[in-house]
Amino acid sequence: MILSKQQIVEIMERFKVQNPNPKSELDFKNPFTLLVSVVLSAQATDKSVNFYTKPLYEVADSPQKILALGQEKLIEFIKPIGLWKNKSKNIIALSKRLIEVFGGIVPDSREKLMSLPGVGRKTANVVLNVVFGQNTMPVDTHLLRICPKIGLAEGTTPEQVENSLLKNIPSEYLQHAHHWLLLHGRYVCTARNPKCNECLIRDLCLNGSSLKGD
């Protein structure tokens, strides 16, 4: 079930008032370091990625510098983040491809980004939104979990939920909508013990509105 357009607009307006200019919680220096951080953030927290990439980006903040560093040295920086074997392999490979195919520049299209090793649709959407200001909808585990529950989207896969959100959320909110929803899922509408009493959209949420008598 999907909320009405008026209800969805009201949800977006409340998020906008609360946080008019949301930012990514990943620290980055340039488009390349954001791309690497998003790749590293798979099954890891932004906090851990930020902690371990800070010293990395002080010595290697471009594809050329990553290749000069080499995979073994790269592993020393990122190993505590987890899944370091595949992640280090992909970061080296995507750095090579960026140089060989794109002149060392992070491309601004989903198709080109997804041609890079280790870069899926969500990662591409994050880069397109944060770096290039495109109205994309990166769907991570938080959005996949909360958006159908709230009544903002239908679907059971990331791409289904992404397409539903793009259809249902008015375009004027799409620049920031995924950040609002990500932060909401991360800090309020948590998987365990959601903070419904602190939720600013509880009266509109399909799940929360049923809890009015609490």
Side-chain angles (χ1 to χ4, degrees):
M1 182 176 176
I2 299 293
L3 296 171
S4 69
K5 183 176 180 181
Q6 183 179 0
Q7 289 172 313
I8 292 173
V9 167
E10 177 62 24
I11 286 174
M12 294 297 115
E13 283 294 323
R14 291 185 192 181
F15 284 141
K16 182 179 178 181
V17 169
Q18 182 191 53
N19 189 1
N21 193 28
K23 301 291 185 185
S24 171
E25 292 194 320
L26 286 170
D27 296 334
F28 61 98
K29 298 173 65 175
N30 54 40
F32 175 72
T33 55
L34 175 66
L35 175 62
V36 171
S37 284
V38 179
V39 170
L40 289 171
S41 70
Q43 299 184 45
T45 65
D46 288 359
K47 185 176 180 179
S48 70
V49 172
N50 289 340
F51 183 83
Y52 292 108
T53 56
K54 183 177 180 181
L56 170 64
Y57 296 154
E58 288 174 359
V59 297
D61 60 359
S62 70
Q64 294 86 351
K65 291 178 182 178
I66 286 289
L67 291 185
L69 186 68
Q71 187 171 355
E72 293 306 312
K73 289 283 188 182
L74 174 62
I75 288 170
E76 292 178 14
F77 285 98
I78 70 168
K79 192 170 185 177
I81 296 173
L83 303 178
W84 51 271
K85 288 183 179 179
N86 280 338
K87 289 178 180 179
S88 62
K89 179 182 176 182
N90 285 332
I91 290 168
I92 293 294
L94 73 82
S95 296
K96 287 180 179 177
R97 183 164 175 83
L98 279 173
I99 293 169
E100 293 171 357
V101 180
F102 302 108
I105 305 297
V106 174
D108 62 355
S109 84
R110 183 183 292 116
E111 182 181 10
K112 291 177 181 177
L113 283 165
M114 289 179 66
S115 75
L116 300 171
V119 177
R121 187 178 182 90
K122 188 212 78 172
T123 296
N125 280 337
V126 171
V127 173
L128 293 173
N129 180 267
V130 175
V131 174
F132 299 107
Q134 296 186 22
N135 289 344
T136 60
M137 186 58 66
V139 174
D140 67 352
T141 55
H142 293 296
L143 270 71
L144 185 63
R145 174 175 56 81
I146 72 168
C147 290
K149 182 167 72 171
I150 292 170
L152 294 174
E154 293 177 319
T156 57
T157 69
E159 194 161 348
Q160 287 172 348
V161 171
E162 175 189 342
N163 290 333
S164 186
L165 288 168
L166 290 172
K167 176 184 175 183
N168 295 325
I169 296 176
S171 60
E172 60 264 34
Y173 300 109
L174 287 177
Q175 179 60 42
H176 297 313
H178 100 269
H179 279 123
W180 290 327
L181 293 166
L182 168 62
L183 295 171
H184 188 66
R186 185 173 286 171
Y187 297 113
V188 180
C189 192
T190 52
R192 295 181 181 180
N193 303 316
K195 302 176 178 66
C196 293
N197 289 329
E198 301 174 19
C199 177
L200 81 166
I201 62 167
R202 176 174 170 174
D203 58 312
L204 297 167
C205 169
L206 287 180
N207 187 66
S209 61
S210 66
L211 305 174
K212 285 180 180 177
D214 286 5

